[in-house]
Amino acid sequence: MAKTSMSLWIGGAAGDGNAFAGRAFIKACSRSGLHGFAYNSYQSLIRGGHVLLQTAVGPEKVYTQADDCDILIALNQDTIEREAADAALGVLYNGDRLKLDAAKLRPGAKTLALPCMKLTSNPLLQNTVALGALFQLTGLDFALFETFLKENFDKKGDAVVSGNLAAAKAGFEYSQKNFPDLGIRLPKREGRHMVMTGNQAIALGAVAGGCKFFSGYPMTPASSIMHWLSPRAAKFGLVFKQAEDELAAMNMAVGAGIAGVRPMTATSGGGFALMTEAISLAGMVEAPVVVVEVQRGGPSTGLPTKTEQGDLFQVLGAGQGDFPKAILAPIDLEDAFHSTVEAFNLAEKYQMPVMLMSDLLLSEHEGTVVDLDMDVKLERGTWAVPGQAPEDGGFFPRYADSETGVSPRAVPGQEGLMHVASSDEHDERGNLISDVHTDPAKRVLIMNKRMRKLEGVLRDFKPTRLEGPEDAELTIVGWGSTTGMMRHVMRHFNQNGAKRVNILPIRYIHPFPADDVLSILKRAKKVMAMECNYTAQLCRLIRMETGFHIQTRWLKYDGEPFYPGSTIAKVSEVLRG
Amino acid sequence: MAKLAVKSTATFPVPTIEPRAAKAAKKPDEFKSEIKPDWCPSCGDFGVLNALQKACATLGIPNKDVLCVSGIGCSSNLPGFFKTYGIHSLHGRSNPIAAGAKLANPELTVVITGGDGDGFGIGLGHFIHNMRRNLDVTYLVMDNQIYGLTTGQTSPTTTIGTQTKSTPEGCIEHPINPMALALVSGATFVARTFSGEIGHMTEVITKAISHKGFSFVDCYSPCVTYNKVNTYPWFKSRVYKLEDQKHDTADLRAALDKAFEEEKLPIGVFYKKEGVPSYEELDPTISRLGAPVKQPLDLKPADAKALKDSFR
C-alpha cells in the first residue's frame, strides 16, 4: 500500500529558494486537507550557508519534523554531501549542475536527476522543475501547484507566470516518463487548512485582540510579527512604529497604554533585557501592555537563528521590585492566537504588563491549523466615569484602593480625571510619597492594592490540565514548542489504546498555577520533564512554586529542536527504568 | 484615613474622551496643582514651571487636553505641580513615552519636561530620534549643567574644567551642544531661554507649544545648590536676546552660528521652520483614521473571515 504521509526536505544555500519551494509544497498539502509541519534550520546569513527546510505532511495531525526524509530536494552540492544519506526513497536534483554518487545513498533510495537545462531555458527555474517532478512523485494535485505559481508570480507579469508554469509541467512530465514510482500517494481530503507560523498566529491574535499600537525593534526570531502587522496596520487602525531601540519600543508601548490603547511590543532575549525597566514602570503606573518574548539560543547574542527555552527566569525576574504581571507561554499555533487575545484582556482588566513567551521553533515553524475562532471576547476592565473632579481641587484618585486591587482607569483627554501616572511610589492620586512626603502606611496600602490584583489573575486563568489518559505510567512535563514533541511521543506510546504516557504542558508561568500543577504531579506514577535549556528552568520554577522536584530531565541546548527518534528512545528508557 | 470614592463603570468598548475642548481665556493659577514644588528655594525650575503655566494660560488650552511627560531628576518632578494629565516616567525615557502617548492620541498637547542629564545623557538617543521624526510635541529641558538630584555629579553639559563630585580635578569631557544638535537633527523649532527672564521664557514656551512639529527649548535653569559656576549672575552677564538682533529664524546656518557662540549666550528662537508635516500627519494609520484611542476594538466579521482565508 502506498504511503499517505511523508517527509520532504529541501536543502540549499540561503538565497537558493528553499522557502519558496517549501511553501509551494505545504500549501498544496494544506489545500488537499492534509496536515503539515515545517521547520527551517538556518543560519544568520542572507546568502550562503546551509539551509535545510524539513517538512512532514500527512492525513493526521503532524507535531514535528522527522529524523530523516523520504524525498530530498537538493539545490546545491553541499546539500547532497550533507543530507543525501538521510533520504529513504530518493534525491531530486539538477543533474546538469550537481553530482550524486548512487553508492552513497541508502539501499533502495533512487537518484532522481533532472536535466534542467533541457527542461527549462531559464536556470533560475530549477526549483520549479523539481517541484513539478515532486508533485508527480507524491500524487499531489498538479492544479494546486499551478494555482500557487499564479498567486505567487501574478505581480511579476504574464511572462514570469507562464515561464514557471511551463517549467513545472516539464518537471512533472519528465518525472512521469523517467522516474520510478516511489510508493507515495498523498491523498486529497475534504477542507482547506490554514498554514501559519507562531508569529503570524500572535500577530493575528493582536489584530483580533484589539491591539492599536505596536512598537518594535527588529530582532530574530521576533521580527516576523512586525512584518505581518506593518502592511496591515492602517486597515485595522493600528499604529505601527519601528523604534530606535528596545528601550524606546517598550517605553512607547507604555506611553500608548497610558493614553488608552492596547499596545504591544515584541522582541527576543537580548532586546527584552533592555525592556525590563519599563516593564516595571508599567507595573507601577498600572498601564496595560503586552510584551512578546520569542526565545532564541543564548546567552548574549548566542544562536540568533536557533531555538531554545532559556529565558524563563529572565522574563520571570524582569523589572526591579515586586509588581503584578502575568506571563503566558502558548503551546501551539492555535494557542499562540488565543493566548495573545487573553494577554490583552488580562493586561487591560488588571492594568498591568503581560508577557507572552514563545520560542523560535513555535514562532517560526509553519504548521497547519484547521480553524480559529476569531469571534473573541474583549474585556476592557473598569473605567472611571468622566467628570468627577475631586472637590478639593486635587488630582483624581487614579489609584484608588479597592477589593480587587483594580482602580477605575482614566486616560488623558477625559474630563475631570486628571492625575499623574507616577513611576515613583505614590498615593491614590498619583502624588509622590517617595521624597519629602514618604509615608510608610500609604506605601503599604498602595503596594497591597497593586499586588492584590494577582489573586484575580490566578482565578481568571484557565485550569492547567493533563492531556491524555489520567492513569498513564509516565507524565511528561514541558512548555512552549516542546509540547508538540510531547504530543508526538504520547501518540507513539499510546497506540492501540495503550495508556503509557500523558503530558502536562504548562502555559502559565506567572502567577504560577501551583495548586493545579502540584495535584497533578502528586498523582503521577512517574514524571519526566523536557525543555530546551541547560538548567531545567521549568523544573526549577515548579520546585520553587510547588516544592515538587522533577529529577528525570531530558534537556537539549544544541540549538536544534527535539527530534522524534532520540526522544522516543529516551522516553522508552524512562518507562523501563 | 478616608477612602477616596470613585464612580466607575464596566467595560467601555472605547474610552469616552470628549472632543478637544475649545480654547478659553485662563489664568496661570488654573494650571497650579495642590502640590507645592519641593525644589530648593530659588531653583531655576520654578521659573520654568511658572512660564509653562503662563504659556498654557495664554494659549487657553483646556487642562484635560495637556499631557506633561517627564523623566527622572529634580526638574522631572514638574508634572506633579502642573494641573494637567501627567506621566512621571523613567530616567531618560520621557521622549519615547511621550511618542507612544502622542501616537495613541494625537489630539493631546504633549509637553515633555526634564533635565540635561535626563535628556542629553541617558536619553540622548531618544531625543535625536524624536526630533528627526518631527513629532508634534514640545520638549523643555531644564539645563543646569549638573546632576542635582543625585547631589552634584558632572552632566553632559558641564563645561570643561568644572569640578564636581565625580570630576574632583575638573571635567575633562567636551560638553554636548544641545542647540547645534537639535538644529542638525531635524527639530523644526529650536530655542533657548533663561529662568532669570520669566517674560522671555513665557514668550518662547508659548511659541514652542504653538509650533506644529518638534519644538525644543533649552531652558537655562541654574542649580543653586550644586552648580557654583553657572549661577544666575553668571548667566545674567552673558545672555542677550536674539529678538533684539537682526536674526533670521528661517536661516539654519545663521542659527548654527548662534549655537556656537561662547562668550555671550544668545537666547530666543534660533530656528523655526514652518510647513513641515509632523510625524502623525504622515503616519499611514492616523492620517486615514484619526486617533487610535478612538478606534473600535472589535474586528468586523467580514475582516476576520478575510484574514483567516488569507492563510488558506
Side-chain angles (χ1 to χ4, degrees), chain A residues 78-116:
Chain A
D78 184 44
T79 299
I80 289 181
E81 310 305 331
R82 289 172 188 267
E83 318 290 350
D86 281 332
L89 302 177
V91 179
L92 264 171
Y93 63 104
N94 180 348
D96 297 335
R97 216 160 57 81
L98 310 176
K99 290 197 165 32
L100 172 57
D101 178 0
K104 287 186 180 159
L105 293 185
R106 290 191 190 177
K110 304 286 191 287
T111 63
L112 307 167
L114 289 158
C116 287

Side-chain angles (χ1 to χ4, degrees), chain A residues 116-133:
Chain A
C116 287
M117 296 310 281
K118 280 203 197 92
L119 299 174
T120 172
S121 52
N122 183 350
L124 291 174
L125 298 182
Q126 63 160 344
N127 297 3
T128 306
V129 172
L131 279 164

Side-chain angles (χ1 to χ4, degrees), chain A residues 406-424:
Chain A
V406 176
S407 316
R409 191 159 155 223
V411 299
Q414 289 187 302
E415 194 69 64
L417 303 176
M418 279 182 290
H419 65 275
V420 178
S422 311
S423 158
D424 276 55

Side-chain angles (χ1 to χ4, degrees), chain A residues 342-355:
Chain A
E342 187 182 1
F344 277 110
N345 282 341
L346 289 168
E348 277 211 313
K349 192 171 170 192
Y350 294 99
Q351 305 173 15
M352 64 175 189
V354 178
M355 272 68 84

Side-chain angles (χ1 to χ4, degrees), chain B residues 243-254:
Chain B
E243 291 82 353
D244 300 339
Q245 312 278 312
K246 281 186 184 155
H247 174 68
D248 179 4
T249 57
D251 185 341
L252 182 63
R253 285 177 193 282

Side-chain angles (χ1 to χ4, degrees), chain A residues 325-549:
Chain A
K325 63 186 175 196
I327 306 171
L328 277 54
I331 55 177
D332 57 29
L333 296 173
E334 292 86 343
D335 192 30
F337 171 82
H338 290 294
S339 289
T340 306
V341 177
E342 187 182 1
F344 277 110
N345 282 341
L346 289 168
E348 277 211 313
K349 192 171 170 192
Y350 294 99
Q351 305 173 15
M352 64 175 189
V354 178
M355 272 68 84
L356 195 69
M357 291 189 78
S358 180
D359 53 59
L360 183 140
L361 182 63
L362 176 59
S363 273
E364 290 202 334
H365 91 275
E366 279 197 311
T368 43
V369 171
V370 177
D371 199 11
L372 281 179
D373 182 5
M374 300 271 288
D375 187 17
V376 295
K377 192 179 165 209
L378 303 184
E379 295 175 84
R380 300 211 70 183
T382 308
W383 291 71
V385 175
Q388 46 176 327
E391 284 170 12
D392 60 8
F395 280 122
F396 171 76
R398 164 69 184 89
Y399 304 107
D401 194 15
S402 76
E403 273 176 37
T404 57
V406 176
S407 316
R409 191 159 155 223
V411 299
Q414 289 187 302
E415 194 69 64
L417 303 176
M418 279 182 290
H419 65 275
V420 178
S422 311
S423 158
D424 276 55
E425 187 59 291
H426 44 260
D427 64 13
E428 295 97 315
R429 297 168 185 263
N431 297 335
L432 308 198
I433 60 166
S434 50
D435 301 335
V436 288
H437 318 295
T438 301
D439 180 341
K442 204 57 118 181
R443 153 70 175 186
V444 170
L445 177 109
I446 289 289
M447 189 71 169
N448 289 351
K449 179 205 98 71
R450 273 195 303 266
M451 296 307 291
R452 202 178 299 134
K453 295 194 285 191
L454 284 178
E455 296 164 17
V457 175
L458 204 51
R459 277 196 300 273
D460 280 4
F461 279 176
K462 291 175 228 159
T464 295
R465 289 207 179 103
L466 274 176
E467 286 183 26
E470 187 75 22
D471 52 348
E473 291 168 49
L474 174 68
T475 298
I476 305 177
V477 184
W479 62 302
S481 66
T482 303
T483 306
M485 185 56 74
M486 287 154 55
R487 286 174 174 160
H488 179 82
V489 165
M490 178 165 72
R491 184 166 67 188
H492 173 88
F493 283 98
N494 293 358
Q495 283 168 35
N496 306 319
K499 294 181 181 175
R500 305 204 66 197
V501 171
N502 60 26
I503 64 169
L504 180 60
I506 304 287
R507 59 185 295 282
Y508 294 116
I509 301 298
H510 185 79
F512 194 74
D515 293 347
D516 284 357
V517 171
L518 184 60
S519 73
I520 290 166
L521 293 180
K522 271 178 158 170
R523 289 198 307 272
K525 291 179 186 157
K526 202 181 272 184
V527 181
M528 79 173 267
M530 284 173 63
E531 339 179 25
C532 283
N533 60 53
Y534 186 92
T535 56
Q537 297 188 7
L538 181 67
C539 290
R540 288 158 64 206
L541 175 70
I542 290 172
R543 194 172 188 189
M544 186 171 105
E545 293 282 354
T546 68
F548 193 96
H549 184 29

